[in-house]
């Protein structure tokens, strides 16, 4: 499962004499004598495509295709990370035969999309970090950037999970347009026919009657609602239950049945929203979708300020 985890970006002055803790955080364009975006841009411009080995954690990494967008005060691109140190076999899942013997010096490289937004005049920015099957990059990426910012500005860079809750609350009022049951295992006669079409992942889609809806998103989160009971009944029959909701002409997909904390701190990347090739999100499509997510977060983090992502 691909997902985007949002984080806040802040810069703390450990030597500040301000009594109010909040006053010890600098505005992003005035972190001491520096601009956080400029520091980040300079860092990106010095990068090359060579892999770097981190012996302490048995990791390798490199930045790939990183670009700065000064007009929007954003930086985006790919952070490729892999782990080594364990010998194992890589098999062909169709035959069960070993295709490749991975040695302790081999590392499987996973591409992770990263995006930073550091608006001027505010003391809190936004980072979007891509994860795959629960494997993220926050610790390694934060360590690299923290060292760079500390060296240049003498301030501590902080990256903490940024709850999507405020943006999520707005979507709770959205009307449900579809329910998607991924890898649905009920009604075998139907799913057997679906398999003949050669779909990579069978899916049953439930749509409402014409000019109607399937209730609001919040109904699927309420244990006392009829919608919640239906999801509870369907969940054991499939891998995921997703709902597609619409609000003010915009659509968003949510995975239902996951813990609330996960829902608000991680946004699942749905294949209906982002193009995929060979199991990986396409750069341009993912960047476009993340712009929408980033705007949702900006609207909640800087309410009524007209901040455009």
């Amino acid at each position: 499962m691909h997902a985007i985890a949002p984080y806040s970006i802040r810069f703390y002055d450990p030597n500040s004499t301000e009594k109010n803790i909040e006053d010890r955080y600098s505005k992003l364009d005035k972190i001491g004598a520096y601009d956080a975006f400029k520091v980040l841009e300079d860092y990106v411009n010095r990068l090359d495509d060579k892999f770097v080995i981190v012996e302490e954690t048995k990791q390798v990494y490199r930045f790939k295709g990183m670009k700065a967008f000064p007009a929007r005060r954003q930086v985006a691109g790919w952070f490729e990370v892999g782990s080594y140190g364990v010998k194992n076999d890589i098999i062909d899942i169709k035959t069960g035969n070993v295709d490749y013997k991975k040695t302790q010096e081999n590392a499987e490289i996973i591409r992770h999309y990263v995006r930073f937004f550091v608006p001027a005049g505010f003391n809190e920015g936004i980072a979007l970090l891509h994860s795959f099957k629960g494997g993220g990059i926050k610790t390694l990426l934060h360590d690299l950037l923290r060292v760079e910012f500390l060296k240049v500005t003498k301030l501590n860079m902080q990256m903490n999970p940024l709850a999507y809750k405020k943006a999520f609350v707005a979507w709770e009022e959205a009307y449900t347009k579809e329910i998607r049951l991924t890898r649905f295992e009920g009604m075998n006669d139907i799913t057997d026919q679906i398999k003949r079409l050669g779909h990579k992942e069978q899916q049953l889609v439930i749509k409402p009657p014409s000019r109607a809806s399937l209730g609001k998103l919040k109904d699927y989160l309420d244990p006392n609602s009829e919608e919640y009971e239906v999801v509870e009944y369907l969940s054991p029959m499939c891998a995921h239950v997703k709902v597609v909701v619409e609000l003010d002409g915009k659509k968003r997909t949510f995975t239902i049945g996951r813990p609330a904390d996960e829902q608000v701190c991680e946004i699942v990347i749905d294949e209906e929203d982002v193009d995929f090739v060979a199991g990986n999100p396409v750069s341009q499509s993912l960047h476009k979708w993340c712009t929408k997510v980033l705007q949702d977060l900006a609207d909640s983090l800087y309410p009524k300020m007209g901040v455009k992502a």
Side-chain angles (χ1 to χ4, degrees):
M1 179 182 72
H2 294 270
I4 289 291
Y7 291 85
S8 64
I9 306 171
R10 307 186 79 184
F11 295 91
Y12 179 77
D13 184 355
N15 299 314
S16 174
T17 57
E18 294 287 349
K19 294 182 178 181
N20 188 342
I21 296 297
E22 190 65 22
D23 291 335
R24 298 181 185 181
Y25 288 94
S26 301
K27 290 185 178 180
L28 300 175
D29 54 329
K30 296 179 181 179
I31 50 174
Y34 301 90
D35 181 339
F37 171 76
K38 184 60 177 176
V39 176
L40 191 59
E41 182 182 36
D42 291 344
Y43 179 75
V44 167
N45 289 338
R46 296 198 309 269
L47 297 172
D48 57 39
D49 289 343
K50 296 180 181 179
F51 278 104
V52 178
I53 298 175
V54 186
E55 294 184 358
E56 294 83 359
T57 57
K58 302 295 183 184
Q59 290 176 294
V60 295
Y61 72 85
R62 72 172 176 181
F63 292 91
K64 186 75 171 178
M66 296 293 294
K67 294 183 180 180
F69 303 90
R72 295 189 175 186
R73 295 180 60 85
Q74 296 183 30
V75 171
W78 296 90
F79 188 49
E80 301 181 346
V81 180
S83 298
Y84 66 94
V86 177
K87 178 182 178 181
N88 50 37
D89 294 334
I90 297 177
I91 68 166
D92 184 326
I93 62 171
K94 294 181 179 178
T95 66
N97 297 330
V98 176
D99 260 6
Y100 181 77
K101 290 184 177 292
K102 178 179 175 294
T103 72
Q104 288 178 276
E105 286 72 44
N106 294 137
E108 179 188 9
I109 303 300
I110 304 295
R111 283 162 43 95
H112 297 272
Y113 178 80
V114 298
R115 187 159 173 180
F116 300 94
F117 179 39
V118 284
F122 298 93
N123 66 2
E124 188 171 14
I126 301 171
L128 301 182
L129 306 186
H130 168 229
S131 65
F132 176 63
K133 291 186 177 179
I137 53 171
K138 187 263 182 178
T139 299
L140 176 58
L141 183 61
H142 177 241
D143 285 347
L144 294 173
L145 295 178
R146 180 179 55 79
V147 170
E148 176 68 16
F149 275 98
L150 187 60
K151 179 179 67 176
V152 176
T153 70
K154 310 304 180 186
L155 299 183
N156 291 331
M157 179 187 187
Q158 298 179 351
M159 287 179 63
N160 295 308
L162 182 61
Y164 197 55
K165 182 172 289 186
K166 290 183 179 179
F168 184 79
V169 167
W171 284 100
E172 286 184 332
E173 296 298 324
Y175 285 98
T176 304
K177 297 298 182 180
E178 291 182 7
I179 300 175
R180 298 174 185 164
L181 309 178
T182 304
R183 291 201 295 276
F184 186 63
E185 297 177 355
M187 302 162 62
N188 290 331
D189 56 332
I190 294 178
T191 54
D192 286 344
Q193 296 300 318
I194 293 175
K195 290 178 183 178
R196 291 184 182 182
L197 298 177
H199 287 182
K200 180 179 65 176
E201 190 173 72
Q202 63 199 50
Q203 184 172 248
L204 181 63
V205 178
I206 301 173
K207 294 186 177 183
S210 179
R211 297 183 180 181
S213 76
L214 295 166
K216 293 184 177 181
L217 175 60
K218 66 180 182 181
D219 297 328
Y220 292 86
L221 309 175
D222 180 3
N224 299 314
S225 72
E226 181 179 346
E227 288 82 1
Y228 186 94
E229 292 181 2
V230 171
V231 169
E232 190 174 40
Y233 172 75
L234 293 173
S235 292
M237 303 180 190
C238 54
H240 304 290
V241 179
K242 300 179 181 180
V243 294
V244 180
V245 298
E246 184 173 343
L247 182 67
D248 297 331
K250 297 187 294 183
K251 290 186 178 181
R252 183 62 49 82
T253 303
F254 292 91
T255 300
I256 299 302
R258 298 166 59 229
D261 288 345
E262 290 183 21
Q263 282 282 13
V264 300
C265 293
E266 179 184 86
I267 307 107
V268 174
I269 303 173
D270 192 87
E271 292 193 22
E272 296 294 325
D273 300 320
V274 176
D275 296 331
F276 279 74
V277 173
N280 293 301
V282 176
S283 298
Q284 185 175 1
S285 180
L286 179 59
H287 186 79
K288 183 178 180 180
W289 179 78
C290 280
T291 297
K292 299 176 183 178
V293 172
L294 192 58
Q295 188 61 60
D296 282 345
L297 290 163
D299 290 342
S300 63
L301 201 59
Y302 324 113
K304 299 180 181 180
M305 299 294 291
V307 177
K308 297 296 182 183

